[in-house]
Amino acid sequence: MKYQGPRGTRDFYPAQMAWRNTLTSAWRKVAIRNGFEEIDGPTFELLDLYKVKSGEGIVSELFHFEDRGGRELALRPEFTPTLARMVAAEANSLPRPIKWFCIPNCCRAERPQRGRLREFLQWNADVIGSDQPVADAECIFLLVDLLAELGLRPEHVHVKISHRQTVRHILAKLGVPEDKMLAAFDLLDRRDKLQPAEFTAGAAQLGLDTFAVERFEQMCRRKYPADDLAHLCRSIGLDGHLKDLEILNEQLRAFGITPWCEYDLGIVRGLAYYTGVVFEVHEVSGAERAMAGGGRYDQLIELFGGPSLPAVGFGMGDVVLTNVLYDKGLIPENVLPSPDVFVVPASEQAVPRITPLVAELRRQGIHARFSYKTTLNVGKLLKEASTVQAAYALILDDRSAGGIVSLKNLRSGEQRDLPLSEVPAAVMRNK
Amino acid sequence: MKYQGPRGTRDFYPAQMAWRNTLTSAWRKVAIRNGFEEIDGPTFELLDLYKVKSGEGIVSELFHFEDRGGRELALRPEFTPTLARMVAAEANSLPRPIKWFCIPNCCRAERPQRGRLREFLQWNADVIGSDQPVADAECIFLLVDLLAELGLRPEHVHVKISHRQTVRHILAKLGVPEDKMLAAFDLLDRRDKLQPAEFTAGAAQLGLDTFAVERFEQMCRRKYPADDLAHLCRSIGLDGHLKDLEILNEQLRAFGITPWCEYDLGIVRGLAYYTGVVFEVHEVSGAERAMAGGGRYDQLIELFGGPSLPAVGFGMGDVVLTNVLYDKGLIPENVLPSPDVFVVPASEQAVPRITPLVAELRRQGIHARFSYKTTLNVGKLLKEASTVQAAYALILDDRSAGGIVSLKNLRSGEQRDLPLSEVPAAVMRNK
């Protein structure tokens, strides 16, 4: 009987793992050069922690269980509650602004489908303790810096940006009363999943007439390139009410990333806790789910028992991102680490020298391999060395007693004799 | 109200995370240079997978839960069942020997205590498809290579080695019948937790008289340095019956690691599935739990539905290892990534140049930071640069309009003017 892994999870064999490591290394490298520090928390938290921001409704989306003491625990579906808990616990001793990133695995009890698994990796980055638009812009720059690092360009992906306050202005102007704003955001967020009639009915409940619904729909459908904010202002008749977006636009220009960005008032982000800028990264054709999403959430740290601390951040999963990179031909073919040198015995006398030599090379930081086969067939062993893509073969024959060995470059075919003591330097030079 | 993380789990703030990354990087680097390839599997598996090797008894030690379809799942307490499942699924297409490592987080529903947490990291490495002692020795060499990489020496830690067949010979010679061998291994494994009277009673049930129990106890208490196998043979009267250990000993000598190793017949490893060599890494004083443990398990892959494939491997947790390194003063003080350069405006005119410059430096792979503070107080900004341990401060005054900037080495204090275009090379040189 063979056993299966659980539905919606992945086995990472060496080739898949090598790509996963390439991706997480890129996330880590780009976050660090942007001045973010890495953190992490437990894979599971007390179930109650996830109700703080999302209410009881979240429970059915979680894998949850009890410990022996009857405490209810849940696998993390996202990192933000852990982040808020950690900031709240040490808020007074942390230097500000706090700029943190992490790469947690997250688990959700949902039906697996394209772009959605039950376990995935998510790159999170947050700036906490600054209400300045430069923090929002730096988060968006970090996203773009990562996209570019992976080979994507503005013709492949867009950062779609909206602002809660801008949309609130528009909704108010169209006749939505203040106490129905959250319901309006929710309707807006679900509009792609609703029939037109359902949408209109929902809008009517919010106090919008047919004309207002149509006008509103139009605004949500249009995209405005960043840098063309004036056009957006004129188009929605909101001159002078877009100060937040105007300042953000200046910052995006300073960071040099306006070609990647567009304003799209249809971006809401379902989560009730966003308070300002919201953004998502989408593949331009619109065929895939969002590759990343985030925004400003100025009240969340307080909700988790911390001081009042403004914050902005995002999450980017590995699944949709990998699908998009694959479709664009941007997944490197072979990123498996290959050996620097493969040590080959060419005479009976050399056999007992192989293991001590391999051990010494490894201690010096060199990726050295040898064959478990007890053969002196050099051709066969060189074939094994080529199969594992070793850069060099180090061949030991009788002359190795006198310290002379043969180094063969397996890419160029060039082979030369040299003293054993010079091997580490010769191998490392081409590393 | 402040929220707590679950008992027995850890929050990794930047300093703790930096150490965790240092440790996992060392695990990864050393495994790769020893020719192992990285893999991973899901964080949770079907509960049944864990019963294959450990029976129903394991369930109380697991965090387990149901998905919506009523399937029983469990958080992985160890990686071996996943490994066996993955090998069994692809056994025919994998090159042999398979040399794999992984760094999973593992979760156990047990009472937290020193050296034991409910969630921890575990470095696993296995060689599958070879029954040769060179595979056993290479696993032990990998462990020693890692210990040395972290600064440990033979006076700090020992690899304690035993062999199931050797202990079986001794037990048989003392009078334990074949059908009571597993019970005898189990008694041996628990002897440190039993009162002497309990141990003697247990031994009597296995058919051992008082003399045999005492003789057996003595053998388990004595340690024999590797290379001194002859002494062990004489001492237990088993000349000629230690062939397996003799061949292993030769391999350990070839790898140059006998100073780290000793034979200790008291090492059993509780798990019934080991079939040959077993080993553990211990801090020499014996005050801590085992830092790592493993051995040969030639029947396990078959048990999980795969072909008959001999295998050897080990697991090393991060908790005891970190405790030992801490006690020996081997945890580096500060391993947080620090900025290559901190960009400082020294004139009003320079302010708008800061963000584009930082963006460009980051795109070139340079870890560049700037202050969110809107101040031109250079002293204050240089202080901020020093606090985050930047290597250089890059100071922009009015001359930056003409492309001339000032680069200050914050370690030496040396400061010089140079064209902006030369900054990346100057900063990278000292990286």
Side-chain angles (χ1 to χ4, degrees), chain A residues 206-387:
Chain A
L206 300 171
L208 301 185
D209 61 25
T210 321
F211 171 78
V213 169
E214 199 175 306
R215 180 113 181 75
F216 185 50
E217 268 254 86
Q218 272 172 6
M219 274 174 209
C220 294
R221 264 200 309 272
R222 290 198 57 172
K223 324 293 178 211
Y224 305 86
D227 258 351
D228 196 12
L229 208 54
H231 187 189
L232 170 62
C233 292
R234 277 196 310 279
S235 152
I236 61 177
L238 268 177
D239 267 320
H241 282 284
L242 292 178
K243 206 165 209 88
D244 287 336
L245 275 190
E246 277 162 19
I247 299 173
L248 178 69
N249 200 69
E250 253 172 61
Q251 290 285 346
L252 297 177
R253 199 180 293 138
F255 273 108
I257 55 172
T258 48
W260 297 77
C261 299
E262 68 181 14
Y263 297 106
D264 180 341
L265 300 179
I267 297 295
V268 199
R269 311 278 310 142
L271 302 153
Y273 68 82
Y274 287 116
T275 55
V277 170
V278 288
F279 49 89
E280 290 182 353
V281 176
H282 283 264
E283 192 273 331
V284 288
S285 78
E288 301 279 350
R289 292 167 186 280
M291 297 161 67
R296 178 162 280 284
Y297 55 96
D298 285 347
Q299 287 147 21
L300 196 73
I301 305 297
E302 206 171 350
L303 190 62
F304 279 83
S308 171
L309 277 178
V312 57
F314 66 82
M316 168 182 256
D318 70 323
V319 183
V320 180
L321 174 63
T322 298
N323 286 346
V324 170
L325 289 168
Y326 184 82
D327 287 345
K328 309 292 179 204
L330 291 171
I331 306 270
E333 282 237 335
N334 186 356
V335 282
L336 280 174
S338 56
D340 301 316
V341 63
F342 196 99
V343 183
V344 168
S347 80
E348 199 60 58
Q349 211 197 42
V351 172
R353 295 185 214 288
I354 300 296
T355 309
L357 175 59
V358 166
E360 179 53 29
L361 292 170
R362 289 176 180 176
R363 271 192 290 262
Q364 292 190 33
I366 292 167
H367 179 167
R369 297 198 200 178
F370 64 106
S371 179
Y372 283 3
K373 295 196 190 89
T374 49
T375 175
L376 296 175
N377 182 331
V378 174
K380 216 168 171 178
L381 291 169
L382 286 180
K383 187 149 187 304
E384 188 174 338
S386 294
T387 302

Side-chain angles (χ1 to χ4, degrees), chain A residues 1 11-13 20-21 33-34 38 40 43 68 85-86 105 109 119 138 305 362 367 372, chain B residues 1 11-13 20-21 32-34 38 40 43 67-68 85-86 105 109 119 138 305 362 372:
Chain A
M1 165 176 181
D11 290 337
F12 295 89
Y13 286 88
R20 183 174 121 181
N21 279 339
R33 78 184 179 211
N34 278 270
E38 189 168 3
D40 199 2
T43 300
R68 292 191 204 187
R85 175 176 71 66
M86 286 174 64
N105 60 325
E119 181 173 19
E138 195 169 32
R362 289 176 180 176
H367 179 167
Y372 283 3
Chain B
M1 164 174 181
D11 291 338
F12 295 88
Y13 286 89
R20 184 175 119 180
N21 280 337
I32 289 171
R33 77 183 179 212
N34 279 271
E38 189 167 2
D40 200 3
T43 300
D67 71 4
R68 291 190 205 188
R85 175 176 70 67
M86 288 174 63
N105 60 324
E119 180 173 21
E138 195 171 32
R362 289 175 181 176
Y372 282 4

Side-chain angles (χ1 to χ4, degrees), chain A residues 1-7 9-14 17 20-21 28 32-35 37-46 49 52 60-61 63-68 71 73 75 85-90 94 97 99-100 105 107 109-110 118-119 127 130 132 134-135 138 141 145 251 254-257 303-305 336-337 355-356 359 362-363 365-370 372 374, chain B residues 1-7 9-14 17 20-21 28 32-35 37-46 49 52 60-61 63-68 71 73 75 85-90 94 97 99-100 105 107 109-110 118-119 127 130 132 134-135 138 141 145 251 254-257 303-305 336-337 355-356 359 362-363 365-370 372 374:
Chain A
M1 165 176 181
K2 287 213 177 138
Y3 294 86
Q4 307 275 326
R7 281 185 67 209
T9 66
R10 292 171 287 184
D11 290 337
F12 295 89
Y13 286 88
M17 190 69 198
R20 183 174 121 181
N21 279 339
R28 184 168 281 123
I32 289 171
R33 78 184 179 211
N34 278 270
E37 295 183 313
E38 189 168 3
I39 60 159
D40 199 2
T43 300
F44 55 87
E45 293 273 4
L46 291 169
L49 190 77
V52 176
S60 69
E61 293 166 34
F63 289 117
H64 55 94
F65 48 95
E66 286 188 4
D67 71 5
R68 292 191 204 187
R71 275 170 292 257
L73 302 165
L75 289 182
R85 175 176 71 66
M86 286 174 64
V87 170
E90 300 287 337
L94 295 166
K99 287 174 64 180
W100 281 351
N105 60 325
C107 299
E110 58 191 344
R118 285 179 164 183
E119 181 173 19
V127 179
S130 169
Q132 298 174 74
V134 63
E138 195 169 32
F141 176 78
D145 199 15
Q251 290 285 346
F255 273 108
I257 55 172
L303 190 62
F304 279 83
L336 280 174
T355 309
R362 289 176 180 176
R363 271 192 290 262
I366 292 167
H367 179 167
R369 297 198 200 178
F370 64 106
Y372 283 3
T374 49
Chain B
M1 164 174 181
K2 287 209 178 142
Y3 294 85
Q4 307 275 326
R7 280 185 68 210
T9 67
R10 291 171 288 184
D11 291 338
F12 295 88
Y13 286 89
M17 190 68 197
R20 184 175 119 180
N21 280 337
R28 185 168 282 122
I32 289 171
R33 77 183 179 212
N34 279 271
E37 294 184 314
E38 189 167 2
I39 60 157
D40 200 3
T43 300
F44 53 89
E45 293 274 4
L46 292 169
L49 189 77
V52 176
S60 69
E61 292 164 34
F63 289 117
H64 56 94
F65 49 95
E66 286 187 5
D67 71 4
R68 291 190 205 188
R71 275 171 291 257
L73 302 165
L75 289 182
R85 175 176 70 67
M86 288 174 63
V87 171
E90 300 288 337
L94 294 166
K99 288 175 64 181
W100 281 352
N105 60 324
C107 300
E110 60 191 343
R118 285 179 162 184
E119 180 173 21
V127 179
S130 168
Q132 298 173 74
V134 62
E138 195 171 32
F141 177 76
D145 199 14
Q251 290 285 347
F255 273 109
I257 53 172
L303 189 63
F304 279 84
L336 280 173
T355 309
R362 289 175 181 176
R363 271 191 289 263
I366 292 167
H367 179 167
R369 297 198 198 177
F370 63 106
Y372 282 4
T374 50

